[in-house]
Amino acid sequence: MDKFVINGQKKLSGEVSISGAKNAAVAIIPAAILSDGICRIENIPNINDVTLISRILAKMGTDIKMIDKTTLQINAKGIKSPEASCDLVRQMRASSYLLGALLGRFHKAMVSFPGGCDFGVRPIDQHLKGFTALGASYKVESGIVDVEAKELIGNTIYMDIVSVGATINIMLAAVKAKGLTVIENAAKEPHIVDLANFLNSMGADITGAGTDCIKIRGVSSLQGTTYSIIPDQIEAGTYMVAAAATGGNVLIKNVIPKHLEAISAKLQEIGVVIEEFDESVRVSRPSKLNKCNVKTMPHPGFPTDMQPQIAVLLSMASGTSMINEGVWDNRFKYIEELNRMGTKISVDGKIAVIDGIEELIGAPVKAIDLRAGAAMIIAGLAAKGTTTIENVHYIERGYENIINKLKSLGADIKKVEIENQNFMPKAL
Ligand code: EPU
């Protein structure tokens, strides 16, 4: 068990390079199950969620290995059974993509109900609605989702809510189905487009990804490919907020500025200065921060995965700001931890009211999930004194080498082992 220890109030400055996108990687890696050839996926982030999904595929019989620092090679020919039910599967939400990928390949999938960060109920009804429309039937028994289809046949599916996961899963199941599948009210996140581009590079016929109507014309087979994953929009946004919160000046490299527009626009409203270049953004904060209201929404709205980080910044602004969480039912559980650092934030359902304070004060806190953990780091970097963060395994699920990246920007942060709290001294 490790914790992060941060001595705050060091202005971040210098350059940081953003890694490949977690949420693209955890969709594209299982999508390789659909290929008859060898897939080489470049710009893979070195994070625990990638290790986890790779271990799951390896357990299922895939030949999967890193062939250099950032390239993962996958040959999934060795998978003989459509079953993925090991303990690892239950540890991550993205293992639900095994349902679509195995269904697409074997016309059958048996996958343990997916886990992931706890933001309230995380149903998969829209995923199952999509599979059913393609001709599959399903049952859920003893925590295993069992989906089967004699034949997968294209259909028009109108999603009741915008769901990233359901959109991805339906694309995976439909890519080798017979005929045309149309997903209406589809999610438009950059990683949806990345997955479509990856599948198309293997010979799929997908158009419209990035709009709310995706058309998938089924093909009989998919070949191998070499494909490079997009940079991580949320990792970039997290460093942008960290730079702003410490009053620093940081060049954030290897980004697609277009993917950051919603984040940049909000930061500018708060008083942060953003300069955009072709593949980088410079973030600085010359003056005080302004209050502002934020509503999280599916892309291209302000991303829910940046909600905890922006809450920290708004707690340092003068006046009262409000955040309306528009995606998840229960994504403010971390506020209790943040308030230990002196913030004045109250929560009523999906709304947080943030009264700006003069200064955050370092305190012992816990990361209660991945992005909440990122917010605790930002708070610690901005706070006076020392902050310790427990449960850092959540943070390491999605942020590559975060300690060294922050240290290279001048942060005083280190990872230390927590002493065994259950240690009982031997009786004398
Ligand atoms: N929903 C349903 N039914 C479904 C699916 C979703 O009601 O069948 C609801 C959810 O309960 C939620 C909303 O729809 O209220 C959106 O859920 P979505 O399916 O879009 O989320 P997801 O696919 O489970 C992905 C990311 C999350 C990110 C959300 C929203 C991955 C692996 N996870 O989750 O990322 O918050 O989209 O953008 O891509 C993170 O990276 O920290 C993270 C949690």
Side-chain angles (χ1 to χ4, degrees):
M1 287 257 275
D2 296 319
K3 65 181 176 186
F4 291 169
V5 180
I6 305 172
N7 291 309
Q9 293 195 332
K10 310 275 184 294
K11 290 184 179 192
L12 299 188
S13 73
E15 299 181 357
V16 64
S17 190
I18 297 306
S19 306
K22 166 180 93 78
N23 288 345
V26 296
I28 285 174
I29 294 168
I33 288 179
L34 290 157
S35 170
D36 297 332
I38 293 174
C39 298
R40 286 189 192 91
I41 308 167
E42 300 170 345
N43 202 27
I44 286 280
N46 183 4
I47 52 174
N48 288 351
D49 267 11
V50 163
T51 310
L52 203 55
I53 191 77
S54 303
R55 282 176 62 199
I56 293 169
L57 287 200
K59 266 185 170 261
M60 292 167 67
T62 305
D63 179 9
I64 181 164
K65 55 187 174 234
M66 293 300 290
I67 54 170
D68 63 39
K69 246 177 119 189
T70 54
T71 307
L72 186 66
Q73 179 171 291
I74 306 176
N75 180 352
K77 267 197 190 142
I79 300 184
K80 300 287 178 238
S81 149
E83 191 175 342
S85 57
C86 61
D87 270 356
L88 300 175
V89 176
R90 282 183 286 275
Q91 287 175 30
M92 70 184 305
R93 179 70 177 173
S95 55
S96 69
Y97 298 148
L98 294 169
L99 280 170
L102 290 169
L103 186 63
R105 170 154 159 189
F106 293 103
H107 291 180
K108 181 163 174 71
M110 288 170 74
V111 178
S112 296
F113 212 84
C117 293
D118 177 12
F119 315 133
V121 188
R122 295 187 74 171
I124 58 164
D125 57 299
Q126 297 301 305
H127 306 230
L128 297 171
K129 176 180 171 172
F131 298 151
T132 310
L134 297 175
S137 56
Y138 68 88
K139 56 180 190 236
V140 183
E141 261 172 24
S142 314
I144 308 250
V145 187
D146 184 343
V147 201
E148 192 164 12
K150 264 209 174 86
E151 196 177 22
L152 290 164
I153 300 179
N155 201 347
T156 295
I157 301 149
Y158 192 93
M159 313 285 290
D160 300 323
I161 42 126
V162 179
S163 160
V164 171
T167 304
I168 288 177
N169 243 337
I170 297 168
M171 285 165 71
L172 295 174
V175 72
K176 287 163 89 175
K178 247 191 198 161
L180 176 68
T181 298
V182 180
I183 311 175
E184 299 274 12
N185 199 22
K188 299 184 278 224
E189 269 64 8
H191 39 289
I192 304 271
V193 181
D194 212 29
L195 174 68
N197 289 340
F198 170 70
L199 292 169
N200 283 345
S201 77
M202 299 200 291
D205 183 354
I206 302 175
T207 53
T211 75
D212 57 10
C213 177
I214 301 178
K215 292 187 175 154
I216 305 152
R217 286 180 178 78
V219 295
S220 54
S221 65
L222 295 172
Q223 73 251 2
T225 185
T226 298
Y227 186 83
S228 183
I229 285 184
I230 51 167
D232 196 306
Q233 167 206 18
I234 305 300
E235 188 196 12
T238 301
Y239 283 99
M240 290 168 83
V241 175
T246 59
N249 185 327
V250 176
L251 184 69
I252 297 161
K253 299 195 305 186
N254 184 34
V255 299
I256 299 174
K258 176 89 191 140
H259 293 171
L260 301 173
E261 273 176 354
I263 300 166
S264 298
K266 244 335 136 189
L267 290 179
Q268 281 166 332
E269 212 178 310
I270 299 172
V272 178
V273 175
I274 316 263
E275 284 171 88
E276 256 184 44
F277 306 100
D278 286 348
E279 293 181 357
S280 58
V281 289
R282 178 172 289 284
V283 179
S284 59
R285 192 194 99 199
S287 55
K288 281 201 148 195
L289 299 167
N290 312 317
K291 66 178 180 171
C292 101
N293 296 336
V294 176
K295 179 167 167 70
T296 68
M297 284 194 277
H299 192 79
F302 188 86
T304 173
D305 294 342
M306 283 300 299
Q307 184 256 95
Q309 300 90 314
I310 203 100
V312 175
L313 196 63
L314 290 174
S315 75
M316 300 167 68
S318 43
T320 302
S321 304
M322 225 162 61
I323 299 183
N324 185 339
E325 172 55 47
V327 177
W328 295 107
D329 286 339
N330 196 356
R331 205 174 188 170
F332 284 125
K333 286 201 238 163
Y334 69 91
I335 295 292
E336 210 177 300
E337 293 298 311
L338 200 53
N339 280 346
R340 289 174 198 270
M341 300 180 68
T343 55
K344 290 196 176 132
I345 309 179
S346 56
V347 175
D348 185 4
K350 292 169 108 180
I351 293 187
V353 178
I354 304 172
D355 286 325
I357 54 165
E358 279 299 313
E359 197 169 53
L360 284 136
I361 308 290
V365 291
K366 286 193 174 73
I368 64 147
D369 63 53
L370 168 60
R371 307 304 173 187
M376 295 305 145
I377 291 183
I378 295 169
L381 293 171
K384 187 175 177 185
T386 303
T387 298
T388 54
I389 306 174
E390 288 188 20
N391 289 352
V392 300
H393 61 278
Y394 282 120
I395 302 170
E396 290 171 340
R397 290 184 76 145
Y399 288 92
E400 176 174 316
N401 207 5
I402 190 159
I403 294 280
N404 286 336
K405 285 189 184 186
L406 284 170
K407 269 186 176 169
S408 76
L409 295 173
D412 180 349
I413 180 169
K414 63 183 176 199
K415 179 165 148 173
V416 299
E417 212 172 303
I418 300 179
E419 289 156 35
N420 186 353
Q421 317 253 324
N422 299 324
F423 175 74
M424 293 291 286
K426 277 190 189 147
L428 289 173

